[in-house]
Amino acid sequence: MKDSEILMNPNELVRFLKKDPADFTKEDITRFCEENGIEMVNFRYAAEDGKLKTLNFVISSKEHLDTILSDGERVDGSNLFSFIEAGSSDLYVIPRYRTAFVSPFAEVPTLEFLCSFYDSDGKPLESAPEYVLRKADEEFTRRTGYTFKALGELEYYVISPRDDLYPGRDQKGYHSAEPFVKFADLRDEAMLLVARAGGRIKYGHSEVGCFYNDDTYYEQHEIEFLPMPVEQAVEQLIVAKWVLRMLGNQYGVEISFAPKITVGKAGSGLHFHMLVEKDGRNLLVEEGRLSPLARKMIAGILDASDALTAFGNTIPTSYLRLVPHQEAPTTVCWGDRNRSVVVRVPLGWIGADSMTHDANPGENGLTPNRPSKQTFEYRVADGSADPYLIVSALIVAALRGTGMPGALEAAENLYVSGNIFRPEFKERLAEFRQLPASCVESAEALEAKRAIFEENGIFPAGMIDSRIATLKAFDDRGLSERLYGNNDAIRELVEEFLHVA
Ligand SMILES: NC(=O)CC[C@H](N)C(=O)O
């Protein structure tokens, strides 16, 4: 980490210890606690429900702190994960020092750590989502020699009592500013706290979704992160969801990451952008266009896209979101600007280096040769996803694409250059596969393609079995059609899943 990155780093530990979090040692953490009056430690881990759990400690001595940091603790895994049986359920949780941050909410100075799960033999817990991601990431690098990076776009609704002063316009919230949006301050505060907790944020803005329902106001926002190694990409999302909910509680409003709040209004996605690097060079771009590597990875993702929903779209209301004309994907194809596709390739500043000089004629300094910002974006997932598992599944699918026979031809055949719902695409649209329309269909797709995810032991068979069983238990085939027009039933279903994941 360069001095400049340390000096302005939002994370207090980085500024104090003057080093990259990856290099934090137990001694560093202890010194930070001693010199900053830290009195408590919290262990945090996401369980099967995707929410951050907590185990609190009061530090009673330097030796006690040393024991906490060295040994971790023991927890009952059967209450955290359904695939762990009661009876042989003890697990260890071990703090990862690089994730340390000062709690933004605790009244006494408290240090927070994200933890990893270990089994009774001290081995990483095979089915821990965080370990699945580590395996997928390591396999990608082992097979290709490249680093996989990702970032999430976290969309959410703020649900509050109606306020008719400077009202927002229905479905016109995109990038709206105060006073026409009411919860930009909550977003700003969340961004700051997430950055202090180690998250790297690209930007925040208000989103399309904006509507009133009787006395309730629904306002949609988004926080988008910067590309990070995948474990950090997921960690920052999980911390951000926690921070947003905590702030919601303080502001007296509900924050929901639910895929759909009501039919006919924008849903909330959890899109993931991806890129691949080697020696700091972005390999998605070659000679000013999308590289064959990128196109093969996209082909791999499209090929597995029906089964991917089993990890990214895990509740019945997920499938109320995947409908036409709501900027959500429906059809298995990819494109550049179109938002109804599974994978979108956004503008990547290719061939656009003279803009700054044009806008600032006095500025003659050339933009330094920075690595390309090009990414491709998987648009299907929503807030019901376990981010560890959907990113693992995307890596596995993309890696498979790199060795898939005919991947480049498949990518070419599935490319659409414009809005897929325009009349000229009608015939091609009919040729493309549609995404699953229910949890049950998603489970069936995973059943058919489970081998892709189980290869090399990345996803344990028991975890896939449990995913399939959970999805099938919703018994929601044809639910969207059955609910059509029945607003009370839709409202009830939305309410049931408002705070899932
Ligand atoms: N601008 C956007 O891309 C909005 C995305 C949309 N909210 C979704 O459901 O995915």
Side-chain angles (χ1 to χ4, degrees):
M1 204 175 234
K2 288 183 284 194
D3 283 356
S4 55
E5 286 173 281
I6 289 172
L7 215 64
M8 285 180 69
N9 200 294
N11 184 336
E12 217 177 310
L13 277 94
V14 174
R15 287 198 311 275
F16 180 84
L17 297 167
K18 298 193 174 27
K19 55 158 81 164
D20 190 325
D23 301 325
F24 287 176
T25 62
K26 196 171 63 178
E27 285 70 29
D28 291 333
I29 303 281
T30 309
R31 190 161 62 85
F32 180 84
C33 289
E34 276 181 318
E35 294 184 29
N36 293 276
I38 299 291
E39 293 179 51
M40 294 187 81
V41 164
N42 285 342
F43 281 5
R44 301 269 182 186
Y45 27 84
E48 196 167 4
D49 65 3
K51 296 194 182 74
L52 222 43
K53 306 289 168 185
T54 315
L55 195 61
N56 310 111
F57 302 84
V58 187
I59 305 170
S60 56
S61 65
K62 194 169 174 179
E63 290 71 28
H64 180 219
L65 176 62
D66 188 83
T67 316
I68 297 169
L69 295 177
S70 306
D71 300 352
E73 247 315 330
R74 196 179 49 213
V75 296
D76 173 7
S78 67
N79 274 309
L80 299 171
F81 297 104
S82 61
F83 53 80
I84 295 179
E85 284 172 27
S88 58
S89 63
D90 268 0
L91 298 177
Y92 295 110
V93 281
I94 305 294
R96 297 196 295 275
Y97 303 151
R98 73 164 169 77
T99 64
F101 63 94
V102 176
S103 175
F105 301 111
E107 279 179 20
V108 299
T110 301
L111 208 55
E112 306 272 0
F113 290 94
L114 300 183
C115 298
S116 296
F117 292 104
Y118 290 83
D119 65 18
S120 53
D121 301 323
K123 302 229 166 54
L125 181 71
E126 272 299 318
S127 299
E130 159 253 337
Y131 186 53
V132 173
L133 179 60
R134 199 169 118 193
K135 285 188 281 184
D137 188 34
E138 284 170 2
E139 179 72 5
F140 187 88
T141 303
R142 195 179 63 74
R143 295 246 304 266
T144 61
Y146 309 147
T147 306
F148 198 103
K149 285 192 172 172
L151 70 90
E153 290 185 9
L154 187 59
E155 290 188 323
Y156 60 92
Y157 269 96
V158 184
I159 307 171
S160 67
R162 186 182 186 115
D163 170 0
D164 283 329
L165 207 58
Y166 297 105
R169 281 177 63 208
D170 188 66
Q171 298 303 286
K172 297 280 182 219
Y174 187 70
H175 289 200
S176 278
E178 287 162 306
F180 296 101
V181 282
K182 310 296 173 196
F183 294 100
D185 52 349
L186 190 156
R187 191 187 68 224
D188 289 351
E189 200 176 336
M191 286 167 58
L192 203 66
L193 300 186
V194 172
R196 287 181 188 157
R200 301 279 310 276
I201 295 170
K202 181 171 159 188
Y203 51 45
H205 58 83
S206 70
E207 253 299 350
V208 170
C210 167
F211 60 95
Y212 298 85
N213 199 344
D214 301 331
D215 287 335
T216 309
Y217 175 49
Y218 298 82
E219 188 175 279
Q220 194 182 33
H221 289 261
E222 172 175 321
I223 295 178
E224 181 167 336
F225 292 87
L226 287 166
M228 297 286 271
V230 288
E231 282 180 62
Q232 281 144 279
V234 169
E235 285 162 4
Q236 60 190 12
L237 271 174
I238 289 178
V239 169
K241 286 175 90 169
W242 170 66
V243 165
L244 279 164
R245 283 180 167 136
M246 289 293 285
L247 288 175
N249 200 35
Q250 286 181 358
Y251 281 62
V253 295
E254 280 191 294
I255 304 283
S256 175
F257 306 97
K260 204 74 176 171
I261 299 283
T262 188
V263 172
K265 309 289 179 192
S268 294
L270 177 58
H271 307 170
F272 284 97
H273 287 252
M274 291 158 262
L275 66 90
V276 169
E277 272 184 8
K278 169 111 180 136
D279 303 325
R281 204 166 63 81
N282 183 345
L283 301 182
L284 295 197
V285 180
E286 226 175 76
E287 293 165 8
R289 59 187 295 252
L290 206 62
S291 65
L293 173 71
R295 283 178 279 140
K296 286 182 191 172
M297 287 169 63
I298 292 172
I301 290 174
L302 294 181
D303 194 59
S305 58
D306 50 354
L308 286 170
T309 57
F311 305 105
N313 308 79
T314 69
I315 51 177
T317 51
S318 293
Y319 297 90
L320 300 182
R321 170 178 163 255
L322 302 178
V323 294
H325 313 300
Q326 297 280 337
E327 299 192 324
T330 51
T331 311
V332 181
C333 60
W334 68 291
D336 300 296
R337 312 288 171 251
N338 191 329
R339 289 168 198 270
S340 297
V341 293
V342 167
V343 172
R344 185 178 81 101
V345 182
L347 286 176
W349 278 264
I350 294 175
D353 346 313
S354 55
M355 299 181 291
T356 309
H357 173 65
D358 187 73
N360 306 275
E363 176 66 61
N364 287 317
L366 279 175
T367 315
N369 212 359
R370 282 196 285 266
S372 161
K373 291 188 195 175
Q374 190 66 62
T375 58
F376 61 79
E377 177 194 23
Y378 172 73
R379 295 181 57 81
V380 184
D382 63 52
S384 72
D386 177 324
Y388 285 113
L389 295 187
I390 184 62
V391 175
S392 309
L394 284 167
I395 296 175
V396 167
L399 177 60
R400 177 167 165 269
T402 64
M404 202 168 75
L408 287 176
E409 294 74 31
E412 203 177 318
N413 292 336
L414 294 171
Y415 174 80
V416 183
S417 60
N419 178 357
I420 57 170
F421 296 115
R422 278 218 309 268
E424 65 262 38
F425 290 117
K426 206 170 163 210
E427 265 171 41
R428 285 195 72 200
L429 198 62
E431 287 166 23
F432 296 143
R433 284 181 299 142
Q434 295 296 305
L435 288 168
S438 63
C439 293
V440 172
E441 283 182 33
S442 166
E444 287 166 355
L446 179 60
E447 224 162 17
K449 293 190 175 163
R450 59 186 297 161
I452 298 177
F453 305 100
E454 286 171 357
E455 205 184 319
N456 300 309
I458 296 189
F459 281 80
M463 175 183 261
I464 301 281
D465 288 341
S466 128
R467 254 324 36 243
I468 292 172
T470 307
L471 289 165
K472 283 196 170 168
F474 286 122
D475 193 18
D476 64 340
R477 200 191 299 278
L479 185 67
S480 312
E481 292 84 53
R482 270 186 277 140
L483 288 181
Y484 189 79
N486 186 345
N487 290 342
D488 288 342
I490 294 172
R491 198 170 302 166
E492 220 170 275
L493 190 70
V494 165
E495 206 52 49
E496 186 182 342
F497 294 103
L498 200 62
H499 297 304
V500 163

